[in-house]
Structure formats: structure tokens, C-alpha cells
């Protein structure tokens, strides 16, 4: 039976379909729950209604829909959580499942490591970061309550055409606030959504993944190339030009912050290679069902 999975994050909502064999990405819709949560001191009603319209539009053609939320939804106190869950259920006839950071990480890592024995898996979002060391199973898991929107709120120039704050300063800001597994390993896998898409659209250099075969992890780059190209992405690559030619320009505002997270983690674990993927929780959900 076909199933739609709607994964609601702090900044973007991802819609994927599993047809029983393959996973097809349907769309990514920017809904800035994290940004507006800080302004409203709670969920912004217009964001909630935008999500409900998205889900109801899907319901017109598909009845088997699973909706789950991460990061910002975990911050809700019991009263506001129950109000939101009841309102969502009343408007959509569907349950909204709030996923713990541990479960989110577990599901994403499960999908990202099907064909590799050892790696660190990075799952970055708008308001949280999960990093796991995988070696035939998750051996260490570190969750941090900092994401790209936290960095962007502090350094707004990262969303401009060119950044004025240095990459090194952003890295220091992140290093002081993030927890990373105390391991050394050659491979860093980027998951949680959008990393392969970013590499293909941004000008970051990449080549075919020669480390392992996985049709959901087709490309990679070496660490030195990634460092060099990230520096260029801050000072030489026009964000405005990218935003003019892509379908979802608002998605790109936090990409410089995400690049800094990647380098902080990669350099701490002494990674030699980075594998950017668009793998998200749905791949782990599917893998879990297949076992």
C-alpha cells in the first residue's frame, strides 16, 4: 500500500511517498516554525494553518498519510501541545506524531547506513542537531539544541548575497555550543534532508561515491575540497543568483550556516570524505518495516 510521510521540521516540511518498493520525494515546503516560535513564544497560527492546508491537499488523493514533527514541537509544554494536537486532528482527521530527538536520529541513521559498516551520521535541522557514530549499530549519539536558524538569528548576514562574517567565526560559535561523538572515522554522512540537493545546486564540487554503493547516496567529496569550496561559498558564490534559479529560494537562506556545521563536525572527527544525501526519517521507517 502506498504511504505518504509528512516530516515537519523547524524550517522545512518534507513530503515523501513510499510505493512499496521505492521512495519518491514529492516536495519540500518552507514553513518557518522555529523562527516564528521565538517571535510568538509558541506556534504561530499561520504556520499551523499552512501545514494543515498542505496535509489536506494531500488527503484529497491519498488516505494513508503519516505526519510527524521534530525539534520545535518537542519544546511545547503539555497544555500547548494538547491544544495543537487536538486542533490538528480536528482539521485533518489525522494524528500528529511528535518524534523524540533520539528516535529521529535512529530512523535517519538506519536509512543512511544500510550499505556501510562505519561512519558518523550528521542530522542537522533548524533548531537541533543529532550526530551519531555508527559501527554495525549506533554506538554513540549526541543531541544538541542548536540548529541553523539559531546561527542565522545571530548572524543575519549569512543570508545576504555574500557573507560578511567569516566562516571561522561561525565555526567557533558552533563549536562552543555543539556536542560531537569523541571518535575518529573516515566518513561523514550528511542526512536529514537537502544535502545532496545543496551540493548539486550550489557549486560545491563532488564526484561519484566510490566508498559504497547506495542509490540514495550517489555522490561524495573529499574534506579538502569541501573546506575550500565552503570558503568560496561564503565570499565568492552569489546566493542571490542561486535563489533566482531554484524553485524554493527561501530554503537557501540558512545554507551557509549548515555548511559551517558540516565542517565543524568533519574536522572534529578527522573525516577524509563527506557523503551528502537527501536521506530523512522515511528511509529509516521503510528499513524498519522491511526487517
Amino acid at each position: 500500500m502506498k504511504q505518504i510521510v509528512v516530516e515537519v521540521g523547524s524550517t522545512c516540511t518534507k513530503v515523501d511517498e513510499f510505493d512499496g518498493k521505492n521512495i519518491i520525494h514529492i516536495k519540500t515546503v518552507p514553513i518557518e516554525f522555529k523562527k516564528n516560535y521565538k517571535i510568538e513564544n509558541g506556534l504561530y497560527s499561520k504556520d499551523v494553518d499552512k501545514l494543515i492546508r498542505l496535509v489536506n491537499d494531500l488527503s484529497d488523493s491519498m488516505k494513508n498519510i503519516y505526519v510527524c514533527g521534530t525539534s520545535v514541537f518537542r519544546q511545547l509544554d503539555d497544555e500547548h501541545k494538547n491544544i495543537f494536537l487536538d486542533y490538528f486532528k480536528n482539521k485533518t482527521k489525522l494524528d500528529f506524531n511528535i518524534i523524540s530527538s533520539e528516535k529521529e536520529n535512529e530512523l535517519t541513521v538506519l536509512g543512511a547506513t544500510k550499505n556501510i559498516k562505519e561512519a558518523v551520521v550528521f542530522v542537522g535541522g533548524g533548531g537541533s542537531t543529532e550526530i551519531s557514530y555508527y559501527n554495525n549499530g549506533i554506538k554513540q549519539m549526541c543531541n544538541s539544541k542548536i540548529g541553523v536558524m539559531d546561527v542565522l538569528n545571530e548572524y543575519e548576514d549569512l543570508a545576504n548575497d555574500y557573507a560578511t562574517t567569516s566562516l571561522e567565526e561561525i565555526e567557533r560559535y558552533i563549536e562552543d555550543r555543539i556536542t560531537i561523538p569523541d571518535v575518529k572515522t573516515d566518513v561523514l554522512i550528511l542526512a536529514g534532508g537537502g544535502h545532496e540537493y545543496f551540493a548539486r545546486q550550489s557549486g560545491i564540487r563532488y564526484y561519484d561515491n566510490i566508498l559504497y554503493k547506495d542509490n540514495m547516496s550517489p555522490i561524495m567529496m573529499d574534506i579538502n575540497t569541501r573546506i575550500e569550496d565552503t570558503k568560496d561559498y561564503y565570499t565568492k558564490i552569489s546566493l542571490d543568483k542561486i535563489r533566482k534559479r531554484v524553485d524554493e529560494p527561501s530554503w537557501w537562506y540558512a545554507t551557509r550556516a549548515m555548511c559551517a556545521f558540516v565542517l565543524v563536525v568533519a574536522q572534529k572527527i578527522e573525516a577524509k570524505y563527506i557523503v551528502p544525501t537527501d536521506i530523512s526519517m522515511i528511509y529509516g521507517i521503510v528499513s524498519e518495516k522491511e526487517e
Side-chain angles (χ1 to χ4, degrees), residues 134-271:
Y134 178 91
N135 191 338
N136 288 323
I138 297 176
K139 304 303 182 184
Q140 291 187 47
M141 182 187 296
C142 296
N143 301 326
S144 303
K145 292 182 179 179
I146 179 175
V148 293
M149 291 309 299
D150 299 291
V151 175
L152 194 59
N153 289 337
E154 189 73 20
Y155 298 95
E156 295 181 357
D157 66 282
L158 297 186
N160 295 341
D161 192 20
Y162 298 96
T164 53
T165 305
S166 70
L167 171 62
E168 291 75 18
E169 181 174 341
I170 303 301
E171 288 181 294
R172 287 193 294 271
Y173 181 85
I174 294 169
E175 285 170 355
D176 289 341
R177 293 162 175 81
I178 195 172
T179 304
I180 302 171
D182 186 20
V183 297
K184 310 298 179 188
T185 190
D186 287 349
V187 181
L188 174 63
I189 300 174
L190 311 181
H195 296 283
E196 181 189 344
Y197 167 73
F198 168 78
R200 293 186 183 276
Q201 297 292 329
S202 65
I204 296 282
R205 289 172 290 173
Y206 60 87
Y207 43 89
D208 290 343
N209 185 353
I210 59 174
L211 299 173
Y212 59 97
K213 291 184 178 180
D214 185 338
N215 62 1
M216 296 310 305
S217 308
I219 64 173
M220 62 180 286
M221 68 275 297
D222 62 85
I223 184 62
N224 292 330
T225 296
R226 183 74 186 218
I227 292 172
E228 181 180 343
D229 288 357
T230 299
K231 291 178 179 178
D232 286 348
Y233 191 61
Y234 268 61
T235 60
K236 296 180 181 180
I237 295 177
S238 168
L239 206 55
D240 286 349
K241 287 183 179 179
I242 294 174
R243 287 188 286 235
K244 285 178 181 178
R245 63 176 167 78
V246 296
D247 293 333
E248 299 159 359
S250 62
W251 182 87
W252 288 82
Y253 282 86
T255 51
R256 287 195 178 109
M258 184 64 80
C259 284
F261 273 93
V262 169
L263 288 191
V264 167
V265 177
Q267 292 173 107
K268 178 65 184 296
I269 67 170
E270 298 182 7

Side-chain angles (χ1 to χ4, degrees), residues 80-93:
H80 289 94
K81 181 190 301 182
N82 291 332
I83 290 172
F84 165 69
L85 294 177
D86 289 344
Y87 182 73
F88 185 87
K89 181 67 175 282
N90 179 259
K91 294 293 184 179
T92 65
K93 311 304 179 189

